[in-house]
Amino acid sequence: MPLVKSGSRSSAPLRMIILLILGSLSFPATVNGQSRPIEYTVSLVQPQTQMVDIAMLVRNVAGPTLDVALPVWRPGRYALIDPSGTVRDVNANASGRSLGIEKLDKTTWRIDTAGASEIEVRYRIYANSLGDRTRHVDDTHAFLSGSSVFFYVPGRLGDEILVRIEAPARWEVATGLEPLGSDPRVRVSPDYHVLIDSPLEIGIHDTLAFDIDGTPHEIVIWGRADYDAERLKEDFARIVRRQAEVFGDMPYDRYVFLIHVGAGAGGGTEHLNSTIMQTARRSLEDDDAYENFLGLVSHEMFHTWNVKQLRPAGINPYDYRQENYTKLLWVAEGTTSYYDDLTLTRIGVLTPDDYLDTMSNTIDTLRNRPGAAVQSLEEASFDAWIKYTKPTPDSVNSTVSFYNGGAMASLLLDTELRTRTDNQATLDDVMRQLYRDFPLSGTGFTPEDVVAAFDALSGTDFDPLFERYIRGTDRYPLEEAVHVLGLELVFEPDADDDRGEADNSSEAAEKPYAGLNLSTRDGATVVGSVLSDGPAYPAGIISGDRVVAVDGFEVSVNQFARVVEGKRPGDTITLHLLRYGQLRTIDFVLTSRPAGRWKLRRLETPTDDQKAAYESWLGQPWPGDGGPR
């Protein structure tokens, strides 16, 4: 059955269709007989210098002054990045006559209009920021994410926009923006919000095209790799189809996957009907690395619904002048993280065993992070601007990731909903309901709306659970929660522990524990972070200390670990340190921690209901039971 496109999700796709139809009929760049209110010309005449020239034409100007500004952050990254720091040579003119211009603050310029109704603003941008996926230009391409490139006029974010591109003749344009007519170098946008949520990849790249029920998709690859084109198209399509089944539609008329391939590249950013992903060459050539890359694809694709359409209050609509606060990044990012590898398991890219191992590692990491007992998920979401994106050496002791923490909270909520409804309702139903109830055209959903969705689907009160685990910092009771899926969460001793298998950490063997994370820096062994649940913390060892010797002997990072492993809990260890050039000696007594890891595994004798829940969760059969139910 074809997937239905929902026209009620947002007016943007409909307006873009209208613009495309007008363009195909060779109409001039006008709206209702008038020129478009705002036009940009992007000039890449010397891309080897990493400079891009922008001309912004603003029509229908009224009043003695006109303000223009650049956003201070980029949607999808909850940090002030202040891209205006790379802006140069801002000037303004009216019909070639120079106008007075004054910079008001770090990101705003005020123009003396001198009575002109049409003003051109010109400026240059140094584009050398590839890793943060904002702007990068060289002799092979230009990647331009709109929020770090295009000025806007405050109060006129709804104006329709035209973008002209001037670039080397053999360069091609890839973007979620629609072309005007047959010229791919002229693109249109219904408003500024869509413009900056539609990054431009202009240059020399490969393009792979595929359709899903008549909806075109493109994979655009900049950088060299020996990839299997048919495999990419097939796997991407399977991801899209499976996630569209969760929400019930595809909220776009065309989708573009932008991929940058290069050494050291990694990460991705979701956009309205496109995404930009960066990865190493081996991700497209090595099977194991390819699976990890598909996890990124799955994550960014799920954002097409969860964030780009279903958006929390506080970040809908975006305010480009300042931080946008929400307590719901644990849903926006954490629930998306829960679904990325889950999707890969449902379509058969990951085996159930591999998925359970991945989840086990996340649980183990979370339970060994002191900050998980200090900061709630709602606090982590709200403070993303000042804590998550600005980590300190003490972050491990004071913060929790709304990505990993939110993913495990999503597992808890999914299993609890299944338990209360005899597996008749799942987190899929919650996401679909929120998606239908809170279209992008609205004001966004609140924490109370999330609780209400669980209440309505279960006929029970979920607020106490949210109070303890979402607003509070109680440890998730996953040992009991996962039973509904035919699973158990146990603490497995290390392989060299001869005590045998234990069911919980209190019965497991203990190992010596210092609570230090070390790294090698400039050939020296340096303290990176000191965990507050270990003995090094109260002993006064701090981040940045250089470990000269342990018990009188010089050690590397690995040698230090072996020294600790060779001792017993209760033994004293002596560290010789350099701190600001001064030699110091600190003794402390090693404590202990369980020797092993948390692990999810299937029950040996599950009930039929548990096997059915497992199969509906993973979309895969219980081992030995044949095909899926």
Side-chain angles (χ1 to χ4, degrees), residues 428-499:
D428 288 8
D429 299 300
V430 173
M431 298 306 294
R432 185 161 45 249
Q433 190 62 52
L434 289 172
Y435 175 73
R436 290 171 177 169
D437 291 347
F438 298 95
L440 184 59
S441 57
T443 57
F445 66 98
T446 67
E448 293 74 22
D449 294 325
V450 178
V451 178
F454 279 93
D455 289 352
L457 284 165
S458 68
T460 65
D461 183 7
F462 262 77
D463 193 70
L465 186 146
F466 274 74
E467 184 63 29
R468 292 185 64 184
Y469 306 113
I470 307 300
R471 304 178 205 118
T473 59
D474 286 7
R475 190 168 85 166
Y476 307 149
L478 294 174
E479 290 87 342
E480 300 82 16
V482 298
H483 276 218
V484 70
L485 301 173
L487 304 175
E488 59 181 351
L489 177 63
V490 298
F491 193 85
E492 287 195 344
D494 288 338
D496 58 355
D497 178 16
D498 59 5
R499 288 166 45 91

Side-chain angles (χ1 to χ4, degrees), residues 192-385:
Y192 186 81
H193 299 293
V194 172
L195 174 69
I196 69 163
D197 230 343
S198 307
L200 293 150
E201 176 62 40
I202 309 162
I204 302 168
H205 51 249
D206 296 344
T207 301
L208 313 177
F210 63 95
D211 280 9
I212 298 178
D213 295 329
T215 300
H217 294 70
E218 300 170 14
I219 303 173
V220 176
I221 303 173
W222 171 72
R224 297 178 61 184
D226 185 13
Y227 57 83
D228 184 333
E230 293 306 312
R231 184 184 187 187
L232 281 173
K233 291 190 289 185
E234 179 182 350
D235 288 340
F236 279 41
R238 291 162 66 200
I239 290 170
V240 174
R241 281 187 176 277
R242 189 63 186 86
Q243 292 182 351
E245 289 174 6
V246 172
F247 294 96
D249 73 0
M250 290 186 292
Y252 51 81
D253 301 296
R254 182 173 64 89
Y255 195 90
V256 182
F257 296 93
L258 302 175
I259 302 174
H260 291 164
V261 179
T269 302
E270 68 278 3
H271 289 285
L272 189 65
N273 65 334
S274 62
T275 183
I276 170 63
M277 299 174 290
Q278 298 174 330
T279 192
R281 177 176 176 176
R282 66 185 297 265
S283 296
L284 302 183
E285 299 176 343
D286 174 81
D287 284 345
D288 290 338
Y290 179 68
E291 282 187 3
N292 290 332
F293 171 64
L294 288 183
L296 174 63
V297 176
S298 180
H299 184 96
E300 301 307 332
M301 190 66 214
F302 198 84
H303 272 317
T304 305
W305 296 270
N306 189 29
V307 169
K308 302 321 299 183
Q309 295 291 326
L310 172 62
R311 195 173 296 175
I315 61 172
N316 186 33
Y318 292 138
D319 184 341
Y320 304 111
R321 302 166 299 173
Q322 60 190 1
E323 299 91 340
N324 289 215
Y325 294 104
T326 175
K327 295 180 179 180
L328 289 164
L329 292 185
W330 70 269
V331 176
E333 297 292 351
T335 301
T336 299
S337 296
Y338 174 63
Y339 272 98
D340 51 26
D341 281 344
L342 179 58
T343 298
L344 297 189
T345 309
R346 287 174 169 178
I347 65 174
V349 169
L350 290 180
T351 68
D353 285 348
D354 285 342
Y355 180 62
L356 293 182
D357 284 345
T358 297
M359 297 287 279
S360 299
N361 291 336
T362 303
I363 293 169
D364 192 77
T365 299
L366 190 63
R367 289 192 166 183
N368 283 296
R369 184 180 181 94
V374 175
Q375 186 185 47
S376 73
L377 284 179
E378 285 198 350
E379 291 171 334
S381 301
F382 193 84
D383 286 344
W385 300 87

Side-chain angles (χ1 to χ4, degrees), residues 242 346 418 423 485 608-629:
R242 189 63 186 86
R346 287 174 169 178
R418 291 171 183 270
N423 202 45
L485 301 173
D608 288 343
D609 287 343
Q610 287 172 323
K611 290 196 288 186
Y614 172 95
E615 292 175 353
S616 73
W617 177 51
L618 293 185
Q620 299 295 331
W622 186 272
D625 279 9
R629 300 185 177 192

Side-chain angles (χ1 to χ4, degrees), residues 162-176:
L162 182 142
V163 179
R164 292 186 175 90
I165 298 164
E166 298 174 349
R170 59 191 292 252
W171 285 18
E172 297 179 338
V173 179
T175 177

